[in-house]
Amino acid sequence: MIDIGLSKLALIGVVALVVIGPERLPKVARMAGTLFGRAQRYINDVKSEVSREIELDELRKMQKDVEQAASDVSGSIHKSMSDTEASLNDAWSGSDGAAAGDSAAADASSWSRTPNADMLSIKAKAFRRKKLARTTAVPAWYKHQSGRKTRVISASARVAKYRPIGAGKSAGFF
């Protein structure tokens, strides 16, 4: 790298003052500063572009590795699924023998859809328990606060409840 010290800069300034002259020296210094700034920006742009290209190459390599791994996983899944399907098909087609016929009848009875009474009573109890939990889990104060009806009264009872005491007598009833 170029090693420029303070003494060398002073020497360059004195030579520029003598050669260029004091009238044109500020314009030349401004021009040299702008050219130096442009050169620095250009070098920084080139550096950033090179680093972006390196990162893109790394990302492409990483993408290729991920795609390869995904295809390997997909292939292993398809292979295991086809192996499982083949073993199930073999087991299904191999149950046609005489000894296997008894186990097939036992399997068919376990797969039947007819519910027995014990299972129905268990399901009914579970349904009642869930319904009870749904309806009674909310406290009464929350029902009053949120406006849910806690009791149902008839229309005539509501009229009698909200009518003023002497309203019926002034209208000519009774």
Side-chain angles (χ1 to χ4, degrees), residues 98-115:
D102 298 335
S103 65
D107 288 342
S109 66
S110 68
W111 284 89
S112 67
R113 295 270 179 178
T114 57

Side-chain angles (χ1 to χ4, degrees), residues 100-166:
D102 298 335
S103 65
D107 288 342
S109 66
S110 68
W111 284 89
S112 67
R113 295 270 179 178
T114 57
N116 59 13
D118 294 333
M119 290 300 291
L120 286 176
S121 67
I122 291 171
K123 285 184 179 181
K125 286 179 185 177
F127 177 76
R128 278 189 237 114
R129 191 177 318 120
K130 287 180 185 176
K131 184 173 181 181
L132 184 66
R134 272 196 314 263
T135 56
T136 60
V138 179
W141 63 268
Y142 182 78
K143 289 179 184 177
H144 290 296
Q145 180 182 357
S146 64
R148 284 180 61 181
K149 292 182 181 179
T150 55
R151 282 183 241 136
V152 178
I153 57 175
S154 67
S156 59
R158 266 186 265 127
V159 169
K161 182 177 178 181
Y162 294 110
R163 185 185 337 161
I165 302 265

Side-chain angles (χ1 to χ4, degrees), residues 43-174:
I43 289 171
N44 286 338
D45 288 343
V46 169
K47 283 181 183 178
S48 66
E49 192 166 328
V50 167
S51 67
R52 275 192 224 119
E53 286 295 323
I54 291 171
E55 289 175 3
L56 281 174
D57 288 341
E58 290 174 1
L59 288 175
R60 286 182 187 126
K61 188 184 296 182
M62 190 182 305
Q63 180 185 10
K64 191 182 291 184
D65 292 342
V66 167
E67 287 176 352
Q68 180 67 29
S71 66
D72 291 345
V73 168
S74 176
S76 67
I77 288 174
H78 286 299
K79 184 180 182 304
S80 65
M81 288 296 290
S82 63
D83 291 345
T84 305
E85 184 179 2
S87 66
L88 284 174
N89 286 336
D90 290 342
W92 185 262
S93 64
S95 65
D96 292 339
D102 298 335
S103 65
D107 288 342
S109 66
S110 68
W111 284 89
S112 67
R113 295 270 179 178
T114 57
N116 59 13
D118 294 333
M119 290 300 291
L120 286 176
S121 67
I122 291 171
K123 285 184 179 181
K125 286 179 185 177
F127 177 76
R128 278 189 237 114
R129 191 177 318 120
K130 287 180 185 176
K131 184 173 181 181
L132 184 66
R134 272 196 314 263
T135 56
T136 60
V138 179
W141 63 268
Y142 182 78
K143 289 179 184 177
H144 290 296
Q145 180 182 357
S146 64
R148 284 180 61 181
K149 292 182 181 179
T150 55
R151 282 183 241 136
V152 178
I153 57 175
S154 67
S156 59
R158 266 186 265 127
V159 169
K161 182 177 178 181
Y162 294 110
R163 185 185 337 161
I165 302 265
K169 295 178 183 173
S170 64
F173 297 112
F174 297 90

